Short mmCIF file of all heavy atoms in Angstrom, two decimals:
data_model
loop_
_atom_site.label_atom_id
_atom_site.label_comp_id
_atom_site.label_asym_id
_atom_site.label_seq_id
_atom_site.Cartn_x
_atom_site.Cartn_y
_atom_site.Cartn_z
N ALA A 166 -5.90 -4.36 3.68
CA ALA A 166 -4.75 -5.16 3.70
C ALA A 166 -3.61 -4.49 4.51
O ALA A 166 -2.81 -5.06 5.24
CB ALA A 166 -4.31 -5.51 2.26
N GLN A 167 -3.53 -3.08 4.29
CA GLN A 167 -2.50 -2.37 4.98
C GLN A 167 -2.68 -2.38 6.47
O GLN A 167 -1.73 -2.56 7.24
CB GLN A 167 -2.53 -0.86 4.54
CG GLN A 167 -1.97 -0.62 3.14
CD GLN A 167 -2.25 0.78 2.67
OE1 GLN A 167 -3.17 1.42 3.04
NE2 GLN A 167 -1.42 1.23 1.73
N ALA A 168 -3.96 -2.35 6.90
CA ALA A 168 -4.28 -2.35 8.28
C ALA A 168 -3.96 -3.65 9.02
O ALA A 168 -3.38 -3.77 10.07
CB ALA A 168 -5.78 -2.06 8.54
N LEU A 169 -4.30 -4.74 8.19
CA LEU A 169 -3.90 -6.08 8.75
C LEU A 169 -2.39 -6.23 8.88
O LEU A 169 -1.86 -6.79 9.85
CB LEU A 169 -4.54 -7.20 7.82
CG LEU A 169 -5.97 -7.39 7.83
CD1 LEU A 169 -6.43 -8.26 6.72
CD2 LEU A 169 -6.47 -7.93 9.18
N HIS A 170 -1.67 -5.74 7.91
CA HIS A 170 -0.24 -5.84 7.90
C HIS A 170 0.31 -5.03 9.08
O HIS A 170 1.30 -5.40 9.70
CB HIS A 170 0.34 -5.33 6.60
CG HIS A 170 1.87 -5.28 6.57
ND1 HIS A 170 2.62 -6.39 6.46
CD2 HIS A 170 2.73 -4.20 6.62
CE1 HIS A 170 3.95 -6.11 6.43
NE2 HIS A 170 3.96 -4.75 6.46
N CYS A 171 -0.23 -3.82 9.25
CA CYS A 171 0.18 -2.94 10.44
C CYS A 171 0.00 -3.63 11.68
O CYS A 171 0.99 -3.62 12.61
CB CYS A 171 -0.57 -1.66 10.29
SG CYS A 171 -0.22 -0.47 11.64
N GLY A 172 -1.13 -4.30 11.94
CA GLY A 172 -1.32 -5.03 13.15
C GLY A 172 -0.30 -6.13 13.36
O GLY A 172 0.16 -6.34 14.49
N ASN A 173 0.00 -6.81 12.25
CA ASN A 173 1.10 -7.95 12.48
C ASN A 173 2.46 -7.40 12.77
O ASN A 173 3.22 -7.90 13.58
CB ASN A 173 1.16 -8.72 11.20
CG ASN A 173 -0.11 -9.56 10.94
OD1 ASN A 173 -0.74 -10.08 11.99
ND2 ASN A 173 -0.56 -9.81 9.78
N GLU A 174 2.76 -6.18 12.20
CA GLU A 174 4.04 -5.58 12.48
C GLU A 174 4.07 -5.07 13.95
O GLU A 174 5.13 -5.24 14.53
CB GLU A 174 4.28 -4.40 11.59
CG GLU A 174 4.53 -4.74 10.14
CD GLU A 174 5.87 -5.46 9.94
OE1 GLU A 174 6.88 -4.95 10.49
OE2 GLU A 174 5.89 -6.62 9.38
N LEU A 175 2.96 -4.53 14.41
CA LEU A 175 2.95 -4.06 15.77
C LEU A 175 3.00 -5.16 16.79
O LEU A 175 3.63 -5.08 17.94
CB LEU A 175 1.71 -3.19 16.05
CG LEU A 175 1.63 -1.83 15.29
CD1 LEU A 175 0.27 -1.23 15.48
CD2 LEU A 175 2.73 -0.93 15.82
N LYS A 176 2.50 -6.30 16.39
CA LYS A 176 2.51 -7.49 17.28
C LYS A 176 3.92 -8.00 17.52
O LYS A 176 4.18 -8.50 18.50
CB LYS A 176 1.63 -8.65 16.65
CG LYS A 176 1.49 -9.89 17.50
CD LYS A 176 0.59 -10.98 16.78
CE LYS A 176 0.41 -12.15 17.73
NZ LYS A 176 -0.40 -13.12 17.02
N LYS A 177 4.78 -7.76 16.53
CA LYS A 177 6.23 -8.14 16.69
C LYS A 177 6.91 -7.20 17.70
O LYS A 177 7.85 -7.60 18.34
CB LYS A 177 6.93 -8.07 15.39
CG LYS A 177 6.40 -8.97 14.29
CD LYS A 177 7.11 -8.84 12.97
CE LYS A 177 6.49 -9.63 11.85
NZ LYS A 177 7.15 -9.35 10.61
N LEU A 178 6.37 -5.97 17.78
CA LEU A 178 6.95 -4.96 18.69
C LEU A 178 6.43 -5.08 20.06
O LEU A 178 7.29 -4.88 20.98
CB LEU A 178 6.71 -3.55 18.16
CG LEU A 178 7.08 -2.32 18.94
CD1 LEU A 178 8.56 -2.17 19.01
CD2 LEU A 178 6.38 -1.12 18.40
N ILE A 179 5.23 -5.27 20.32
CA ILE A 179 4.55 -5.35 21.55
C ILE A 179 4.60 -6.70 22.21
O ILE A 179 4.26 -7.69 21.58
CB ILE A 179 3.09 -4.80 21.43
CG1 ILE A 179 3.03 -3.36 20.95
CG2 ILE A 179 2.42 -4.96 22.78
CD1 ILE A 179 1.66 -2.87 20.55
N GLY A 180 5.13 -6.73 23.43
CA GLY A 180 5.32 -8.05 24.13
C GLY A 180 4.05 -8.78 24.51
O GLY A 180 2.97 -8.02 24.61
N LYS A 181 4.07 -10.06 24.76
CA LYS A 181 2.91 -10.85 25.08
C LYS A 181 2.28 -10.35 26.44
O LYS A 181 1.09 -10.49 26.55
CB LYS A 181 3.25 -12.26 25.13
CG LYS A 181 3.65 -12.83 23.78
CD LYS A 181 3.93 -14.41 23.82
CE LYS A 181 4.38 -14.93 22.47
NZ LYS A 181 4.70 -16.40 22.59
N ASN A 182 3.15 -9.88 27.34
CA ASN A 182 2.62 -9.50 28.62
C ASN A 182 2.28 -8.00 28.70
O ASN A 182 2.01 -7.49 29.81
CB ASN A 182 3.66 -9.85 29.73
CG ASN A 182 4.00 -11.31 29.79
OD1 ASN A 182 3.06 -12.16 29.67
ND2 ASN A 182 5.20 -11.67 30.07
N GLU A 183 2.32 -7.29 27.57
CA GLU A 183 2.02 -5.91 27.58
C GLU A 183 0.53 -5.74 27.16
O GLU A 183 -0.06 -6.48 26.32
CB GLU A 183 2.90 -5.20 26.61
CG GLU A 183 4.36 -5.22 26.99
CD GLU A 183 5.27 -4.63 25.93
OE1 GLU A 183 4.84 -3.85 25.11
OE2 GLU A 183 6.52 -4.86 25.89
N THR A 184 -0.08 -4.75 27.72
CA THR A 184 -1.47 -4.39 27.36
C THR A 184 -1.55 -3.29 26.30
O THR A 184 -0.58 -2.52 26.13
CB THR A 184 -2.26 -3.99 28.59
OG1 THR A 184 -1.60 -2.94 29.28
CG2 THR A 184 -2.40 -5.19 29.51
N ILE A 185 -2.71 -3.14 25.68
CA ILE A 185 -2.89 -2.16 24.63
C ILE A 185 -4.19 -1.37 24.90
O ILE A 185 -5.19 -2.03 25.15
CB ILE A 185 -2.97 -2.77 23.29
CG1 ILE A 185 -1.75 -3.62 22.99
CG2 ILE A 185 -3.22 -1.75 22.13
CD1 ILE A 185 -1.84 -4.55 21.80
N PHE A 186 -4.14 -0.09 24.89
CA PHE A 186 -5.25 0.84 25.07
C PHE A 186 -5.38 1.62 23.75
O PHE A 186 -4.35 2.25 23.31
CB PHE A 186 -5.18 1.73 26.21
CG PHE A 186 -6.36 2.52 26.41
CD1 PHE A 186 -7.47 2.04 27.20
CD2 PHE A 186 -6.45 3.85 25.81
CE1 PHE A 186 -8.59 2.84 27.38
CE2 PHE A 186 -7.54 4.66 26.07
CZ PHE A 186 -8.63 4.11 26.75
N CYS A 187 -6.47 1.64 23.07
CA CYS A 187 -6.59 2.30 21.71
C CYS A 187 -7.55 3.52 21.87
O CYS A 187 -8.63 3.48 22.45
CB CYS A 187 -7.21 1.37 20.78
SG CYS A 187 -6.15 0.01 20.37
N TYR A 188 -7.04 4.61 21.34
CA TYR A 188 -7.94 5.74 21.05
C TYR A 188 -8.15 5.77 19.46
O TYR A 188 -7.18 5.57 18.79
CB TYR A 188 -7.17 7.07 21.44
CG TYR A 188 -7.15 7.35 22.88
CD1 TYR A 188 -6.03 7.11 23.62
CD2 TYR A 188 -8.30 7.92 23.55
CE1 TYR A 188 -5.98 7.42 24.94
CE2 TYR A 188 -8.28 8.18 24.87
CZ TYR A 188 -7.08 7.96 25.58
OH TYR A 188 -7.01 8.15 26.97
N VAL A 189 -9.33 6.04 19.08
CA VAL A 189 -9.60 5.98 17.64
C VAL A 189 -10.45 7.18 17.20
O VAL A 189 -11.37 7.63 17.97
CB VAL A 189 -10.21 4.72 17.20
CG1 VAL A 189 -11.62 4.47 17.90
CG2 VAL A 189 -10.34 4.63 15.73
N SER A 190 -10.19 7.74 16.07
CA SER A 190 -10.97 8.77 15.49
C SER A 190 -12.40 8.16 15.16
O SER A 190 -12.47 7.07 14.68
CB SER A 190 -10.27 9.36 14.25
OG SER A 190 -11.25 9.98 13.36
N PRO A 191 -13.42 8.99 15.23
CA PRO A 191 -14.81 8.46 14.85
C PRO A 191 -15.01 8.29 13.42
O PRO A 191 -16.12 7.79 12.86
CB PRO A 191 -15.71 9.54 15.46
CG PRO A 191 -14.94 10.79 15.48
CD PRO A 191 -13.53 10.36 15.77
N PHE A 192 -14.08 8.74 12.56
CA PHE A 192 -14.27 8.60 11.10
C PHE A 192 -14.22 7.09 10.71
O PHE A 192 -13.50 6.33 11.29
CB PHE A 192 -13.14 9.42 10.35
CG PHE A 192 -13.44 10.81 10.24
CD1 PHE A 192 -13.96 11.55 11.29
CD2 PHE A 192 -13.04 11.56 9.08
CE1 PHE A 192 -14.24 12.84 11.21
CE2 PHE A 192 -13.30 12.93 9.03
CZ PHE A 192 -13.87 13.56 10.03
N ARG A 193 -15.01 6.82 9.77
CA ARG A 193 -15.23 5.36 9.36
C ARG A 193 -13.91 4.64 9.03
O ARG A 193 -13.64 3.55 9.42
CB ARG A 193 -16.17 5.30 8.17
CG ARG A 193 -16.51 3.85 7.69
CD ARG A 193 -17.31 3.90 6.51
NE ARG A 193 -17.64 2.50 5.98
CZ ARG A 193 -18.00 2.20 4.79
NH1 ARG A 193 -18.26 3.27 3.94
NH2 ARG A 193 -18.16 0.99 4.42
N ARG A 194 -13.02 5.35 8.27
CA ARG A 194 -11.72 4.66 7.87
C ARG A 194 -10.86 4.47 9.00
O ARG A 194 -10.10 3.46 8.98
CB ARG A 194 -11.08 5.57 6.77
CG ARG A 194 -10.86 7.04 7.22
CD ARG A 194 -10.34 7.79 6.00
NE ARG A 194 -10.11 9.26 6.22
CZ ARG A 194 -11.01 10.15 6.07
NH1 ARG A 194 -12.22 9.87 5.74
NH2 ARG A 194 -10.66 11.47 6.27
N SER A 195 -10.93 5.32 10.01
CA SER A 195 -10.05 5.16 11.16
C SER A 195 -10.62 3.91 12.03
O SER A 195 -9.90 3.10 12.51
CB SER A 195 -10.05 6.37 12.08
OG SER A 195 -9.47 7.47 11.34
N ARG A 196 -11.93 3.90 12.16
CA ARG A 196 -12.52 2.81 13.01
C ARG A 196 -12.28 1.41 12.28
O ARG A 196 -12.05 0.46 12.98
CB ARG A 196 -14.04 3.04 13.22
CG ARG A 196 -14.34 4.24 14.16
CD ARG A 196 -15.78 4.37 14.48
NE ARG A 196 -16.48 4.94 13.45
CZ ARG A 196 -17.43 4.31 12.69
NH1 ARG A 196 -17.64 3.00 12.89
NH2 ARG A 196 -18.06 4.86 11.71
N GLN A 197 -12.40 1.40 10.96
CA GLN A 197 -12.12 0.20 10.26
C GLN A 197 -10.69 -0.21 10.48
O GLN A 197 -10.35 -1.45 10.63
CB GLN A 197 -12.47 0.35 8.81
CG GLN A 197 -13.94 0.44 8.51
CD GLN A 197 -14.20 0.72 7.01
OE1 GLN A 197 -13.41 1.34 6.28
NE2 GLN A 197 -15.37 0.12 6.51
N THR A 198 -9.74 0.75 10.30
CA THR A 198 -8.37 0.47 10.58
C THR A 198 -8.08 -0.12 11.98
O THR A 198 -7.33 -1.14 12.12
CB THR A 198 -7.52 1.71 10.31
OG1 THR A 198 -7.69 2.24 9.02
CG2 THR A 198 -5.98 1.43 10.54
N CYS A 199 -8.68 0.54 12.93
CA CYS A 199 -8.51 0.07 14.34
C CYS A 199 -9.02 -1.40 14.48
O CYS A 199 -8.35 -2.25 15.10
CB CYS A 199 -9.21 1.00 15.24
SG CYS A 199 -9.10 0.59 17.05
N GLU A 200 -10.15 -1.66 13.84
CA GLU A 200 -10.75 -2.97 14.09
C GLU A 200 -9.85 -4.05 13.47
O GLU A 200 -9.62 -5.20 14.02
CB GLU A 200 -12.07 -3.03 13.41
CG GLU A 200 -12.73 -4.43 13.46
CD GLU A 200 -14.14 -4.42 12.68
OE1 GLU A 200 -14.59 -3.30 12.37
OE2 GLU A 200 -14.60 -5.55 12.53
#
Side-chain angles (χ1 to χ4, degrees):
Q167 289 173 334
L169 288 170
H170 176 74
C171 180
N173 291 327
E174 288 296 307
L175 292 175
K176 187 177 180 180
K177 298 175 185 177
L178 173 70
I179 297 172
K181 293 181 180 179
N182 296 324
E183 298 175 18
T184 55
I185 301 167
F186 184 87
C187 296
Y188 285 102
V189 63
S190 160
F192 279 36
R193 183 184 175 199
R194 55 188 179 271
S195 299
R196 289 187 286 110
Q197 289 177 328
T198 301
C199 180
E200 180 182 348

